[in-house]
Amino acid sequence: MKTLLAIIMLISILVIFLFRNMQRSFPQLEVTILFFFVSFLCQHINFKISTAYERLFLTAEYIPRIIGFLHFGWIIPVLLVWALYRQKRAHTIWYVLGWCCLEVLSKFLFLKVGVVQCDSEWVFMIDVIMCLLIVIISSLFQRYYDHLLKRESVAVE
């Protein structure tokens, strides 16, 4: 478990550089607000909805909780923001589909390792639908917020 924590910490540090690079390439206000929105969305859909129906929840130990919070609260949202901006530039959906695959595979890995627990049987398709829901809502928010910033002349590309 400590090895997984070290790997997640290393990935978190690398994601900091990715986030800083995104803030240099795109309007800083837009990236920051989109990150906060996506982070809120990922955490609430992954934790609040899943735990309400007793699907997936973090274990009570400290190291798995730290791993879960770093992964679902920092790594996954930054990678989704990056995927949304790559999708915006390249006009392709492969980046967000790759993010969905990463999200579901990480839940599967965390379930096998013991970071996440499931009282009942883990249903793969529910997590795929939740990932697609996160992507659709985030994409709609990104388009709306980008349009709003351009209309108010806050950010110009």
Side-chain angles (χ1 to χ4, degrees), residues 48-123:
K48 301 297 183 194
I49 293 176
S50 291
T51 56
Y53 295 106
E54 297 179 357
R55 288 196 58 249
L56 295 174
F57 56 92
L58 292 173
T59 51
E61 300 170 13
Y62 289 112
I63 292 178
R65 290 189 77 76
I66 292 170
I67 291 170
F69 286 133
L70 277 175
H71 182 74
F72 293 112
W74 173 248
I75 296 172
I76 291 295
V78 169
L79 291 177
L80 179 57
V81 170
W82 176 80
L84 287 170
Y85 279 108
R86 293 298 300 170
Q87 174 190 353
K88 183 179 173 181
R89 293 288 180 182
H91 302 291
T92 182
I93 198 163
W94 293 110
Y95 293 104
V96 293
L97 289 179
W99 179 84
C100 286
C101 290
L102 177 73
E103 166 94 16
V104 173
L105 287 174
S106 67
K107 285 180 184 177
F108 177 74
L109 174 71
F110 286 166
L111 191 62
K112 292 296 180 190
V113 172
V115 173
V116 175
Q117 292 180 345
C118 185
D119 284 341
S120 60
E121 185 177 342
W122 181 59
V123 181

Side-chain angles (χ1 to χ4, degrees), residues 19 41 124 135 148:
F19 189 68
L41 197 63
F124 169 77
V135 165
L148 181 69

